[in-house]
Amino acid sequence: HRHRVGILHSLVGTMAASERPLVDAALLAVEEVNAKGGLLGRTLEAVVADGRSEPATFGREARRLARDEGVRTFFGCWTSSSRKVVRHEVEAVGALLWYPVQYEGLEESENVFYTGGTINQQVEPALDWALTELGRTFFLVGSDYVYPRTANRLAKALVRTHGGSVAGEALVPLGSADFEDVVRRLRDVGPLVVFSTVNGDSNVAFYRQLAAAGLSPSSWPVLAMSVAETELGAIGEAAHGHLACWGYFQSVRSEANRRFLASWRARFGSETPASDPIATAHTQVHLWAEAVKKARSFEPDEVAKAAPGCRLASPLG
């Protein structure tokens, strides 16, 4: 009497440091649902698969889980490139993907629940604030794939409509640790606001190379869209004084967040920080469980119909 769900994230490669904790968050939520007696009289069984930071592998693993493991509910992906491939696979079999990370919007699917923030919920308020508080000249730095390209296109339009200017843009390959050229360009342009959509472990190299070159946060503040508490731990001192914008930080004061952090720390230790994607990856499993109860069914189309209007007290508010 088990019901299988798939958890599909990168356990190796450039995105692993960001995505591994999301597996933990989803597994914790599955354990919590099971501790309360499971769902519809059945115990949940989570099958974890590794997308290896490669969109093609994400697609293959989604196909394997659907075909060999009978999975019709997936929790996972980080990059939009991986999500687009998995979306194709879940649509092909009528499954559901619950996707927990901020993204560029401009996509909808009846088979995907996008539980992370879109550009108008993260990039726009961040830039509004930065234009008032930090300065009016921006340089855009990002990893070269779907989300940063789209975010930068919209960021440029937002900055210009507010009377600011964009002094330059640089996209580096996902996983790159070489920011020498970017750092040189930033130094040449002079003090400004650095708007960053750098993803994954590239962030460690980026901040450390900025610090090593003497580009201080007082003159070159980095405003990041993909650096949360998890990445901060790996970057260390070099991130001190820089900024990030998210819909959730673990410092949020609420009863639901206190309860979430207590169970997170009890399970993974007080040294392991929570972040917006972690809290979202955890919450969306519980949201799916609420929709299953309301639908009285595990069938993806029934669950999708029941999901609107489902509410729960979560760390995200």
Coordinates of all heavy atoms in Angstrom, one line a residue, residues 250-287:
Q250 N 15.5 32.6 6.1 CA 15.2 31.9 7.3 C 15.0 32.7 8.6 O 14.5 32.2 9.6 CB 16.3 30.8 7.5 CG 17.6 31.3 7.8 CD 18.6 30.2 8.1 OE1 18.3 29.0 8.0 NE2 19.9 30.6 8.4
S251 N 15.3 34.0 8.4 CA 15.1 34.9 9.6 C 13.6 35.4 9.7 O 13.3 36.1 10.7 CB 16.0 36.2 9.4 OG 15.8 36.7 8.2
V252 N 12.7 35.0 8.8 CA 11.3 35.3 8.9 C 10.7 34.9 10.2 O 10.9 33.8 10.7 CB 10.5 34.6 7.7 CG1 9.0 34.7 8.0 CG2 10.8 35.2 6.4
R253 N 10.0 35.9 10.9 CA 9.5 35.6 12.2 C 8.0 35.2 12.0 O 7.1 36.1 11.8 CB 9.5 36.8 13.1 CG 10.9 37.2 13.5 CD 10.9 38.5 14.3 NE 12.3 39.0 14.5 CZ 13.0 38.7 15.6 NH1 12.4 37.9 16.6 NH2 14.2 39.1 15.8
S254 N 7.7 33.9 12.1 CA 6.3 33.4 12.1 C 6.3 32.1 12.8 O 7.3 31.4 12.8 CB 5.8 33.3 10.7 OG 6.4 32.2 10.0
E255 N 5.2 31.7 13.3 CA 5.0 30.4 14.0 C 5.3 29.3 13.0 O 6.0 28.3 13.3 CB 3.6 30.3 14.6 CG 3.3 29.0 15.3 CD 4.4 28.7 16.4 OE1 5.0 29.7 17.0 OE2 4.6 27.5 16.7
A256 N 4.8 29.4 11.8 CA 5.0 28.4 10.8 C 6.4 28.2 10.4 O 6.9 27.1 10.3 CB 4.2 28.7 9.5
N257 N 7.2 29.3 10.3 CA 8.6 29.2 10.0 C 9.4 28.6 11.2 O 10.3 27.9 11.0 CB 9.2 30.6 9.7 CG 10.6 30.5 9.1 OD1 10.9 29.6 8.3 ND2 11.5 31.4 9.6
R258 N 9.0 29.0 12.4 CA 9.6 28.5 13.6 C 9.5 26.9 13.6 O 10.5 26.2 13.9 CB 9.0 29.1 14.9 CG 9.8 28.8 16.2 CD 9.0 29.1 17.4 NE 7.8 28.3 17.5 CZ 7.8 27.0 17.9 NH1 8.9 26.4 18.1 NH2 6.6 26.4 17.9
R259 N 8.3 26.5 13.3 CA 8.0 25.0 13.3 C 8.8 24.3 12.2 O 9.4 23.3 12.4 CB 6.5 24.7 13.1 CG 5.7 24.9 14.3 CD 4.4 24.1 14.2 NE 3.7 24.4 13.0 CZ 2.8 25.4 12.9 NH1 2.6 26.3 13.9 NH2 2.2 25.6 11.7
F260 N 8.9 25.0 11.0 CA 9.6 24.4 9.9 C 11.1 24.3 10.2 O 11.7 23.3 10.0 CB 9.4 25.2 8.6 CG 10.4 25.0 7.5 CD1 10.5 23.7 6.9 CD2 11.3 26.0 7.2 CE1 11.5 23.5 5.9 CE2 12.3 25.7 6.2 CZ 12.4 24.5 5.6
L261 N 11.7 25.4 10.7 CA 13.1 25.4 11.1 C 13.4 24.4 12.2 O 14.5 23.8 12.1 CB 13.6 26.8 11.5 CG 13.6 27.8 10.3 CD1 13.9 29.2 10.9 CD2 14.6 27.4 9.2
A262 N 12.5 24.2 13.1 CA 12.8 23.3 14.2 C 12.9 21.8 13.6 O 13.8 21.1 14.0 CB 11.6 23.3 15.2
S263 N 11.9 21.5 12.7 CA 12.0 20.1 12.1 C 13.2 20.0 11.2 O 13.8 18.9 11.1 CB 10.7 19.7 11.5 OG 10.4 20.5 10.4
W264 N 13.5 21.1 10.4 CA 14.6 21.1 9.5 C 15.9 20.8 10.3 O 16.8 20.0 9.9 CB 14.7 22.4 8.7 CG 15.9 22.6 7.8 CD1 16.9 23.4 8.0 CD2 16.1 21.9 6.5 NE1 17.8 23.3 7.0 CE2 17.3 22.4 6.0 CE3 15.3 21.0 5.7 CZ2 17.8 22.0 4.8 CZ3 15.9 20.6 4.5 CH2 17.1 21.1 4.1
R265 N 16.1 21.6 11.4 CA 17.4 21.5 12.1 C 17.4 20.2 12.9 O 18.5 19.6 13.1 CB 17.5 22.7 13.1 CG 17.8 24.0 12.3 CD 17.6 25.2 13.1 NE 17.9 26.4 12.3 CZ 17.5 27.7 12.6 NH1 16.8 27.9 13.7 NH2 17.8 28.7 11.8
A266 N 16.3 19.7 13.4 CA 16.3 18.4 14.1 C 16.8 17.3 13.2 O 17.5 16.4 13.6 CB 14.9 18.1 14.6
R267 N 16.4 17.4 11.9 CA 16.7 16.4 10.9 C 18.1 16.6 10.3 O 18.8 15.6 10.1 CB 15.7 16.4 9.8 CG 15.8 15.4 8.8 CD 15.3 14.0 9.2 NE 15.2 13.1 8.1 CZ 16.2 12.6 7.5 NH1 17.4 13.0 7.8 NH2 16.0 11.8 6.5
F268 N 18.6 17.8 10.1 CA 19.8 18.0 9.3 C 20.9 18.8 10.1 O 21.9 19.1 9.5 CB 19.5 18.7 8.0 CG 18.6 17.9 7.1 CD1 17.3 18.4 6.9 CD2 19.0 16.7 6.5 CE1 16.4 17.6 6.1 CE2 18.1 16.0 5.8 CZ 16.8 16.4 5.6
G269 N 20.6 19.2 11.3 CA 21.6 19.9 12.1 C 21.4 21.4 12.0 O 21.0 21.9 11.0
S270 N 21.8 22.1 13.1 CA 21.6 23.5 13.1 C 22.6 24.3 12.2 O 22.5 25.5 11.9 CB 21.7 24.1 14.5 OG 23.0 23.7 15.1
E271 N 23.6 23.5 11.7 CA 24.6 24.2 10.8 C 24.1 24.3 9.4 O 24.7 25.0 8.6 CB 25.9 23.3 10.8 CG 26.6 23.3 12.1 CD 26.9 24.7 12.7 OE1 27.7 25.4 12.1 OE2 26.4 25.0 13.8
T272 N 23.0 23.5 9.1 CA 22.5 23.5 7.7 C 21.4 24.6 7.5 O 20.3 24.4 8.1 CB 21.9 22.1 7.3 OG1 22.9 21.2 7.7 CG2 21.6 22.0 5.9
P273 N 21.7 25.7 6.8 CA 20.7 26.8 6.7 C 19.6 26.4 5.8 O 19.8 25.6 4.9 CB 21.5 27.9 6.1 CG 22.6 27.3 5.4 CD 23.0 26.0 6.1
A274 N 18.4 27.0 6.0 CA 17.3 26.9 5.1 C 17.4 28.1 4.2 O 18.0 29.1 4.5 CB 16.0 26.8 5.8
S275 N 16.6 28.0 3.0 CA 16.6 29.1 2.0 C 15.3 29.1 1.4 O 14.4 28.2 1.6 CB 17.7 28.8 1.0 OG 17.3 27.7 0.2
D276 N 15.1 30.1 0.5 CA 13.8 30.2 -0.2 C 13.5 28.9 -1.0 O 12.4 28.3 -0.9 CB 13.8 31.4 -1.1 CG 12.5 31.6 -1.9 OD1 12.1 30.7 -2.6 OD2 11.9 32.7 -1.7
P277 N 14.4 28.4 -1.9 CA 14.1 27.2 -2.6 C 13.9 26.0 -1.7 O 13.1 25.1 -2.0 CB 15.4 27.0 -3.5 CG 16.0 28.3 -3.6 CD 15.7 29.0 -2.3
I278 N 14.6 25.9 -0.6 CA 14.5 24.8 0.4 C 13.1 24.8 1.0 O 12.4 23.8 1.0 CB 15.6 24.8 1.5 CG1 16.9 24.4 0.9 CG2 15.2 24.0 2.7 CD1 18.1 24.6 1.8
A279 N 12.7 26.0 1.5 CA 11.4 26.2 2.1 C 10.3 25.9 1.1 O 9.2 25.3 1.4 CB 11.2 27.6 2.7
T280 N 10.5 26.3 -0.2 CA 9.5 26.1 -1.2 C 9.4 24.6 -1.6 O 8.3 24.0 -1.8 CB 9.8 26.9 -2.5 OG1 10.0 28.3 -2.1 CG2 8.6 26.9 -3.5
A281 N 10.6 23.9 -1.7 CA 10.6 22.5 -2.0 C 9.9 21.7 -0.9 O 9.2 20.7 -1.2 CB 12.0 22.0 -2.2
H282 N 10.0 22.1 0.3 CA 9.3 21.4 1.4 C 7.8 21.7 1.4 O 7.0 20.8 1.4 CB 9.9 22.0 2.8 CG 9.3 21.4 4.0 ND1 8.3 22.0 4.6 CD2 9.6 20.3 4.7 CE1 7.9 21.3 5.7 NE2 8.7 20.2 5.8
T283 N 7.5 23.0 1.3 CA 6.1 23.4 1.3 C 5.3 22.8 0.2 O 4.1 22.4 0.3 CB 6.0 25.0 1.2 OG1 6.6 25.5 2.4 CG2 4.5 25.4 1.1
Q284 N 5.9 22.7 -1.0 CA 5.1 22.3 -2.2 C 4.7 20.8 -2.1 O 3.6 20.4 -2.6 CB 5.8 22.5 -3.5 CG 7.0 21.7 -3.8 CD 7.6 21.9 -5.2 OE1 7.2 22.8 -5.9 NE2 8.6 21.1 -5.5
V285 N 5.4 20.0 -1.3 CA 5.0 18.6 -1.1 C 3.8 18.6 -0.2 O 2.8 17.8 -0.5 CB 6.2 17.8 -0.4 CG1 5.7 16.4 0.0 CG2 7.4 17.7 -1.3
H286 N 3.7 19.4 0.8 CA 2.6 19.5 1.7 C 1.4 20.1 0.9 O 0.2 19.7 1.2 CB 2.9 20.4 2.9 CG 3.7 19.6 3.9 ND1 3.2 18.6 4.6 CD2 5.0 19.8 4.3 CE1 4.2 18.1 5.4 NE2 5.3 18.9 5.3
L287 N 1.6 21.0 0.0 CA 0.5 21.6 -0.8 C -0.1 20.5 -1.7 O -1.3 20.4 -1.8 CB 1.1 22.7 -1.6 CG 0.1 23.7 -2.3 CD1 -0.8 24.3 -1.3 CD2 0.9 24.8 -3.1

